[in-house]
Amino acid sequence: MARIAIEKEHNLSLKKAKEAAEKVAVDLKKRFELDYRWKGDAIEFARPGLEGKLHVGKEHVRLDCELGFMLSLLKPTIEN
């Protein structure tokens, strides 16, 4: 399995950052049948071959995920 960890700073309030993260999660659910749920300040998501978390903080967001074998071949593309 391949791991991806990406962290980005933001200038939003925590509430606005969570709203933006929710919009992304809804879009990913529609496009890729990705199941997700909020757990505290993080969105946990999963689908066959992929699972991870999007942590939403006051000044940054961090994506941590594990890719199954087939998706691990796309790791460089996903990271970009």
Side-chain angles (χ1 to χ4, degrees):
M1 282 201 187
R3 296 176 78 71
I4 294 178
I6 301 170
E7 186 169 327
K8 298 285 183 180
E9 290 184 17
H10 66 77
N11 295 318
L12 302 172
S13 68
L14 183 58
K15 180 181 176 184
K16 292 288 185 186
K18 285 179 145 183
E19 289 172 0
E22 177 72 19
K23 287 180 184 179
V24 170
V26 168
D27 181 56
L28 292 174
K29 180 177 178 64
K30 287 179 187 173
R31 295 188 327 170
F32 302 108
E33 299 177 14
L34 189 75
D35 293 326
Y36 76 93
R37 68 183 177 127
W38 280 95
K39 189 171 184 182
D41 289 338
I43 295 176
E44 295 179 341
F45 55 89
R47 65 161 282 157
L50 171 70
E51 64 180 48
K53 285 186 181 181
L54 179 62
H55 305 270
V56 181
K58 292 180 182 179
E59 298 175 356
H60 69 277
V61 293
R62 188 179 76 243
L63 173 68
D64 295 309
C65 62
E66 288 193 27
L67 306 173
F69 176 73
M70 294 300 289
L71 288 177
S72 67
L73 301 173
L74 299 173
K75 181 182 176 188
T77 303
I78 294 169
E79 288 177 322
N80 285 332

